[in-house]
């Protein structure tokens, strides 16, 4: 149900781009998939697009970020609700009932959108631009109404307003719910929050000293670029303030690593997810610790999720490792497809990391003139990244197993 729902809505949502923007079928489907998966890679010329098309793109990202399944299927009462939200990649419920969870998510989203729109308007954006960028920021989508993205304004106030919106959109919905309730202790114990608190300043500092310091004339610009681009990559939002044509190889590597790590589990963000990275890191530390303990010692392996200790079994750690293996395998294949079309390895690694992680940062590979196979490869990467592989793999297997049985019964 989840996979077919996403396929149908992506196909149906491509129609306005064909009829109103004049895009071809491949380009229109790509733009639609990019919107619903909150990626932000775009083939639309925003300088020639109508306000209707621009707001349509932003609405797709807003709805896709909140979770098409959890919003649409929340109306269905009964035991199948939680299974559907888990199938979409959301393993946690804010409250026991799916319908109540969806209501909370929608309320949080509406609050983010309202506050974000007002903040961006006060920071200097026109109301229409503020609304679109607020929708894209909280959904970690990255669609912009300007070709230069946030860099069009070159404003400290606007960048300062966008960064908190990206971070809030990146947060696990459960963590955001606890934060809004004032349960700071539970938020600060969360492994994802701790990992993000280390990664953001560490990568921003490296980016500042080894990338931006030699590129931009003033300390102010150097610091702003380093902080904003790192935050945009880790939260998988995809806004940018500069182009990357003059960045060195280390700058590309930093952003690629952040895009692969991705955002919070059960959030609007993509990537491998910070929770899995944190679990694998902790399992590495636990294994080192066991090497110095007696064989009979019992070690409790747990992480904090919300206000509860989440004890990790070997099976769950193995599942996280398998997911990382599948993710990196698909990433390698997608990179190879782009490289086979003549793009450099650096460009291919960057662009497909952006696609599979549903980020939206680009080095110019993605465009309306790109080869159709490149666009379809990126569309598949965005779709797989949004529904987290196993849902699609299991669905395809089920379809191939169930269709012959259904045909046999009809006979």
């Amino acid at each position: 149900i989840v996979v077919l729902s996403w396929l149908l809505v992506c196909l149906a949502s491509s129609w306005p781009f064909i009829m109103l923007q004049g895009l071809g079928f491949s380009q229109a489907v790509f733009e639609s998939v990019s919107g619903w998966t909150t990626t932000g890679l775009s083939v639309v010329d925003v300088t020639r697009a109508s306000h209707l098309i621009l707001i349509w793109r932003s609405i797709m990202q807003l709805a896709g970020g909140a979770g098409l399944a959890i919003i649409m299927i929340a109306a269905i009462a009964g035991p199948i609700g939680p299974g559907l939200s888990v199938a979409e990649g959301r393993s946690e419920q804010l409250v026991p009932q799916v319908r109540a969870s969806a209501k909370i998510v929608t309320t949080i989203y509406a609050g983010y959108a309202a506050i974000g729109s007002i903040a961006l308007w006060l920071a200097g954006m026109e109301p229409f631009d503020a609304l679109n960028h607020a929708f894209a920021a909280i959904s970690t989508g990255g669609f912009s109404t300007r070709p230069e993205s946030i860099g069009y304004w070159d404003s400290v106030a606007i960048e300062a307003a966008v960064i908190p919106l990206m971070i809030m959109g990146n947060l696990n919905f459960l963590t955001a719910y606890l934060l809004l309730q004032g349960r700071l202790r539970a938020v600060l114990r969360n492994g994802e929050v701790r990992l993000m608190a280390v990664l953001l300043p560490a990568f921003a500092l490296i980016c500042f000293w080894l990338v931006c310091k030699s590129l931009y004339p003033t300390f102010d610009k150097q610091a702003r670029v380093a902080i904003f681009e790192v935050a945009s990559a880790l939260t998988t939002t995809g806004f940018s303030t500069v182009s990357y044509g003059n960045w060195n190889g280390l700058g590309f590597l930093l952003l690629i690593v952040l895009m692969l790590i991705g955002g919070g589990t059960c959030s609007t963000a993509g990537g491998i997810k910070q929770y899995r990275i944190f679990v694998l890191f902790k399992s590495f530390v636990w294994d080192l610790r066991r090497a110095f303990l007696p064989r009979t010692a019992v070690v409790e392996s747990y992480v904090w999720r919300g206000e509860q200790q989440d004890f990790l079994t070997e099976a769950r750690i193995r599942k996280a490792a398998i997911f990382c293996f599948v993710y990196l395998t698909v990433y390698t294949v997608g990179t190879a497809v782009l490289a086979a079309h003549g793009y450099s390895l650096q460009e291919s690694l960057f662009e497909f990391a952006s696609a599979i992680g549903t980020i939206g940062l680009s080095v110019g590979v993605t465009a309306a003139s790109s080869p159709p196979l490149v666009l379809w490869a990126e569309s598949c990467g965005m779709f797989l990244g949004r529904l987290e592989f196993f849902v699609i793999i299991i669905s395809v297997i089920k379809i191939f197993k169930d269709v012959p049985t259904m045909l046999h019964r009809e006979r």
Side-chain angles (χ1 to χ4, degrees):
I1 291 174
V2 170
V3 171
L4 291 177
S5 296
W6 277 83
L7 284 172
L8 288 173
V9 78
C10 287
L11 288 173
S13 300
S14 65
W15 176 82
F17 298 112
I18 296 173
M19 299 300 295
L20 302 179
Q21 196 62 25
L23 295 181
F25 179 72
S26 296
Q27 290 84 358
V29 171
F30 176 89
E31 194 75 14
S32 178
V33 172
S34 182
W36 283 104
T37 58
T38 70
T39 303
L41 289 171
S42 180
V43 295
V44 168
D45 183 357
V46 295
T47 61
R48 301 176 58 186
S50 66
H51 279 199
L52 181 62
I53 286 293
L54 294 177
I55 195 66
W56 173 239
R57 295 158 79 236
S58 300
I59 289 173
M60 284 194 301
Q61 291 200 324
L62 186 72
L68 179 66
I70 199 172
I71 289 178
M72 293 183 63
I73 306 174
I76 303 175
I80 64 170
L84 289 166
S85 64
V86 169
E88 199 212 4
R90 304 180 187 278
S91 57
E92 293 176 345
Q93 291 295 110
L94 301 179
V95 292
Q97 299 82 18
V98 161
R99 188 179 297 178
S101 291
K103 185 177 180 181
I104 292 173
V105 169
T106 306
T107 302
I108 292 174
Y109 243 50
Y112 285 169
I115 294 172
S117 299
I118 294 171
L120 291 174
W121 173 58
L122 293 175
M125 283 189 181
E126 294 294 324
F128 181 77
D129 290 327
L131 184 67
N132 279 274
H133 285 87
F135 284 4
I138 64 172
S139 64
T140 61
F143 275 155
S144 178
T145 57
R146 308 289 178 173
E148 304 86 355
S149 189
I150 301 299
Y152 171 83
W153 288 272
D154 193 20
S155 165
V156 176
I158 288 175
E159 291 166 22
V162 170
I163 289 175
L165 290 175
M166 295 192 296
I167 292 175
M168 290 305 294
N170 157 85
L171 284 181
N172 182 320
F173 279 126
L174 177 61
T175 304
Y177 183 57
L178 293 174
L179 180 62
L180 293 173
Q181 288 189 322
R183 303 186 209 174
L184 295 180
R185 185 181 178 187
V187 173
L188 295 176
R189 285 190 302 197
N190 185 278
E192 291 178 327
V193 173
R194 291 185 174 187
L195 180 62
M196 184 170 58
V198 172
L199 292 177
L200 281 177
F203 274 71
L205 190 61
I206 296 171
C207 188
F208 170 78
W209 280 107
L210 301 179
V211 181
C212 299
K213 198 167 179 58
S214 61
L215 293 178
Y216 306 106
T218 64
F219 174 85
D220 171 67
K221 184 67 174 179
Q222 295 161 4
R224 284 166 51 197
V225 170
I227 293 170
F228 191 92
E229 302 307 317
V230 164
S232 182
L234 182 62
T235 61
T236 75
T237 304
F239 284 143
S240 61
T241 57
V242 293
S243 63
Y244 306 119
N246 56 351
W247 278 39
N248 59 28
L250 178 61
F252 277 81
L253 178 61
L254 292 174
L255 294 185
I256 288 172
V257 170
L258 290 172
M259 289 192 291
L260 291 176
I261 292 173
T265 308
C266 302
S267 72
T268 66
I272 292 172
K273 299 294 176 63
Q274 294 163 11
Y275 175 76
R276 292 189 181 98
I277 300 298
F278 183 75
V279 165
L280 292 177
F281 171 75
K282 292 289 286 185
S283 67
F284 171 71
V285 173
W286 294 329
D287 280 347
L288 286 180
R289 186 186 304 168
R290 288 191 187 100
F292 297 95
L293 293 175
R295 293 183 179 181
T296 55
V298 177
V299 179
E300 291 185 334
S301 303
Y302 67 87
V303 295
W304 286 95
R305 299 189 82 175
E307 296 179 312
Q308 297 180 344
Q309 291 177 335
D310 186 13
F311 289 89
L312 300 174
T313 63
E314 292 294 331
R316 289 182 61 186
I317 296 173
R318 184 172 64 250
K319 186 176 180 180
I322 291 172
F323 179 89
C324 290
F325 170 76
V326 174
Y327 191 99
L328 294 176
T329 300
V330 175
Y331 173 54
T332 302
V333 173
T335 299
V337 172
L338 269 61
H341 282 80
Y343 300 105
S344 70
L345 180 59
Q346 181 173 278
E347 292 173 332
S348 301
L349 286 168
F350 189 98
E351 204 79 6
F352 202 76
S354 183
I356 195 174
T358 68
I359 290 99
L361 295 176
S362 178
V363 289
V365 173
T366 304
S369 58
S370 300
L373 186 57
V374 168
L375 296 180
W376 281 107
E378 290 185 356
S379 297
C380 290
M382 294 186 289
F383 197 75
L384 286 166
R386 181 62 180 87
L387 295 184
E388 301 211 330
F389 301 102
F390 291 113
V391 178
I392 297 176
I393 293 171
I394 293 171
S395 297
V396 171
I397 293 173
K398 285 286 291 178
I399 288 172
F400 277 101
K401 288 180 63 177
D402 291 350
V403 168
T405 303
M406 294 169 63
L407 293 174
H408 179 72
R409 287 178 180 175
E410 289 180 2
R411 291 176 184 174

